[in-house]
Amino acid sequence: MLLVLGVLVLTDALTMDVEIAQRGPVGPKTVPLVVGVGLLVIAALLAVDVLRGGRGQAETGEDIDLSEPADWRTVALLAGVFLGAAVLIDPLGFPVAGALLFWGAAFALGSRRFDRDPLIAAVLSLATYAIFNNLLGVPLPGGPLMGVL
């Protein structure tokens, strides 16, 4: 699978039309080429390991009790908060929709600090808006706060 993905990424990168976007030795092809070559190298190394009898280690990662059922209420709350933010981002702007997203996610994941969570959500949302809009040059909808920010 990694071999196929690496070939796909390299093929796409090598056939990419970048004449307009090229502004120096490092252009839009650079990262896809590095990722594609990396995928091919990892695929080759894993194939050699498997052919030598390597089986990998069993997953011991997180401390999860697999006998417990999934918490579908939390999943539904998170999905609702995400979809609500997606719908509200255009009319309200990113700062307001992002604050609602951060606050709703914290609530869905169990935080009940109604005195602290909205403030943290607002600060995170405004900081994210400022970083993307002002520093990175990625325009985000400001909504009603566009003139203020």
Side-chain angles (χ1 to χ4, degrees), residues 70-87 97-112:
D71 186 5
W72 291 109
R73 178 184 178 272
T74 300
V75 172
L77 281 172
L78 284 172
V81 165
F82 181 75
L83 290 174
V87 168
L100 292 173
L101 173 68
F102 292 138
W103 187 20
F107 180 82
L109 293 172
S111 178
R112 299 296 183 260

Side-chain angles (χ1 to χ4, degrees), residues 5-6 9-10 29-42:
L5 188 60
V9 169
L10 281 177
K29 286 185 176 184
T30 306
V31 171
L33 287 174
V34 170
V35 169
V37 169
L39 286 169
L40 292 179
V41 168
I42 290 172

Side-chain angles (χ1 to χ4, degrees), residues 2-21:
L2 287 176
L3 177 68
V4 171
L5 188 60
V7 169
L8 179 67
V9 169
L10 281 177
T11 303
D12 195 35
L14 292 173
T15 59
M16 187 184 304
D17 184 25
V18 295
E19 292 176 18
I20 297 172

Side-chain angles (χ1 to χ4, degrees), residues 4-146:
V4 171
L5 188 60
V7 169
L8 179 67
V9 169
L10 281 177
T11 303
D12 195 35
L14 292 173
T15 59
M16 187 184 304
D17 184 25
V18 295
E19 292 176 18
I20 297 172
Q22 188 73 30
R23 295 186 183 179
V26 178
K29 286 185 176 184
T30 306
V31 171
L33 287 174
V34 170
V35 169
V37 169
L39 286 169
L40 292 179
V41 168
I42 290 172
L45 291 173
L46 285 173
V48 168
D49 184 48
V50 169
L51 291 174
R52 289 183 174 178
R55 297 287 176 225
Q57 295 178 346
E59 176 64 39
T60 60
E62 298 181 30
D63 194 17
I64 298 174
D65 185 7
L66 296 177
S67 64
E68 291 290 321
D71 186 5
W72 291 109
R73 178 184 178 272
T74 300
V75 172
L77 281 172
L78 284 172
V81 165
F82 181 75
L83 290 174
V87 168
L88 294 174
I89 195 167
D90 204 25
L92 297 181
F94 183 84
V96 175
L100 292 173
L101 173 68
F102 292 138
W103 187 20
F107 180 82
L109 293 172
S111 178
R112 299 296 183 260
R113 297 285 308 264
F114 297 112
D115 56 336
R116 177 188 69 181
D117 290 346
L119 179 63
I120 293 173
V123 169
L124 279 174
S125 181
L126 288 171
T128 303
Y129 178 80
I131 289 170
F132 275 87
N133 201 51
N134 300 337
L135 295 177
L136 297 176
V138 177
L140 296 174
L145 298 177
M146 188 59 122

